[in-house]
């Protein structure tokens, strides 16, 4: 690609936004299935049904497109989970969130892993910009979980001194590790075991006596 | 590469075994740092200080070399951890294992992730042979953890009805997910949170009353 004087501007028309979205969605799908290294710009172009010049109109380079995919995957996960997490009213509701996570993995027999976890595994060591974006994504995800635990503190389900920040990291790690193992083992056993263990710990340590 | 009539035989001489080991070690290091797709045979050749024909003398193709790397990384992890796990005599010993895992991640500031987890994330979806090998590796690792929990059952630390198989999967998922997050976040906070939560669950649910 030629050197550009400035990064592409955000599309100002509805059609432009739709084209940009179509490129991101196609790239996200290809990168999820084949990794970033295994996803070429021509493959994105063909999958999105756009021209190469349209891709380069909206994205400076592959790193720029990859950052847009990270933002897209983060938004997808959070828009699915945050409403559920923000209104947690008890341990049963936490278990319902766990079921949503497990069911999603089970539907694809564990294949694919977590879109963000897979991107992080591929990119974090060699691409500092992507690593920063992924660290921020994981932070946003753990903050959404933390919001759920804090809602449970607020409504009296969990003790006020419950360490919601640490427990939200434990739950997110259980999700990530469970999905790594599901991808290799094609079962959700480890995902369920890890989430159940952390939720049991939350339940037994933090729930106010009845 | 030319089509071969039969897969390469294991080296019969000490020098042959040393050459083969050198190729595997170099490939493991490169694949850990740059992924399998990012590791070329010439790069392995140069890093190992061997000729291409020596590599092809010992490995049919890159898939064959990758399987050898999976076996090498599994052996490395298990030879580090299995002796510690096999002699667990209490929850404090389990916490010592947790410290070994956390310290190893902290020493590289979380970078790199788990060698097996990273290989699985890259290979499981598109390389069924590698996925089978990685599933077996994770199984061997969780069996080593399970042996530790069973030693704690045998010596009376844990209740006889403790579900060592499920808890070992939860611990392994905590390790894997904690390492995924450490790679992006460059802290071991999530790794520690997840391991501590699962170990607290084991401690509080399974320890016999004093």
């Amino acid at each position: 690609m030629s050197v550009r004087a400035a990064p592409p501007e955000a599309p100002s028309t509805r059609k432009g936004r739709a084209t940009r979205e179509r490129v991101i969605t196609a790239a996200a799908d290809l990168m999820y299935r084949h990794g970033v290294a295994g996803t070429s710009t021509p493959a994105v172009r063909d999958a999105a049904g756009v021209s190469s010049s349209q891709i380069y109109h909206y994205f400076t380079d592959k790193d720029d497109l990859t950052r847009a995919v990270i933002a897209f995957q983060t938004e997808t996960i959070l828009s699915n989970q945050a409403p559920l997490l923000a209104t947690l009213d008890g341990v049963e509701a936490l278990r319902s969130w766990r079921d949503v996570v497990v069911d999603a993995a089970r539907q694809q027999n564990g294949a694919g892993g977590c879109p963000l976890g897979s991107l992080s595994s591929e990119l974090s060591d060699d691409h500092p910009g992507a690593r920063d974006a992924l660290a921020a994504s994981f932070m946003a995800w753990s903050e959404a979980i933390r919001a759920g635990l804090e809602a449970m503190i607020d409504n009296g389900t969990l003790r006020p001194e419950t360490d919601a920040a640490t427990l939200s990291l434990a739950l997110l790690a259980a999700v990530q590790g469970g999905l790594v193992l599901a991808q290799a083992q094609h079962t959700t056993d480890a995902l369920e075991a890890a989430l159940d263990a952390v939720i049991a710990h939350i339940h037994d340590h933090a729930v106010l006596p009845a």
Side-chain angles (χ1 to χ4, degrees), chain A:
Chain A
M1 291 180 68
S2 58
V3 175
R4 303 181 67 112
E9 291 177 21
S12 58
T13 65
R14 192 191 312 188
K15 194 175 165 205
R17 284 191 295 275
T19 302
R20 186 174 182 278
E21 282 298 308
R22 202 157 70 240
V23 172
I24 293 171
T25 308
D29 178 59
L30 288 168
M31 289 176 179
Y32 184 56
R33 288 191 287 128
H34 305 300
V36 176
T39 298
S40 67
T41 305
V44 174
R45 180 197 64 204
D46 294 348
V50 299
S51 66
S52 291
S53 66
Q54 281 176 300
I55 294 182
Y56 293 132
H57 182 69
Y58 294 119
F59 304 97
T60 316
D61 52 20
K62 193 175 177 184
D63 284 353
D64 192 31
L65 177 56
T66 302
R67 279 192 297 274
V69 166
I70 293 169
F72 169 80
Q73 295 288 21
T74 306
E75 167 65 22
T76 302
I77 290 168
L78 290 184
S79 65
N80 280 337
Q81 295 193 7
L84 192 62
L85 287 165
T87 58
L88 287 188
D89 58 5
V91 173
E92 279 313 305
L94 192 57
R95 294 208 173 97
S96 297
W97 166 74
R98 168 258 193 233
D99 289 344
V100 167
V101 173
V102 170
D103 287 347
R106 194 181 284 134
Q107 273 171 28
Q108 46 198 40
N109 199 22
C114 171
L116 292 176
S118 300
L119 286 167
S120 179
S121 177
E122 180 177 359
L123 301 173
S124 283
D125 290 337
D126 286 344
H127 297 80
R131 186 183 76 73
D132 288 345
L134 288 157
S137 295
F138 285 131
M139 175 65 73
W141 193 348
S142 70
E143 288 293 322
I145 299 172
R146 174 178 166 158
L149 298 180
E150 285 177 347
M152 291 167 67
I153 294 173
D154 290 344
N155 81 353
T157 303
L158 301 182
R159 294 194 185 105
E161 67 272 23
T162 303
D163 186 349
T166 297
L167 292 172
S168 67
L169 284 176
L171 285 169
L172 181 55
V175 171
Q176 290 300 317
L179 292 176
V180 167
L181 292 171
Q183 199 174 2
Q185 298 181 322
H186 279 192
T187 104
T188 56
D189 290 353
L191 178 64
E192 295 179 59
L195 282 169
D196 289 346
V198 177
I199 291 172
H201 170 62
I202 292 172
H203 185 244
D204 291 313
H205 277 255
V207 172
L208 289 170

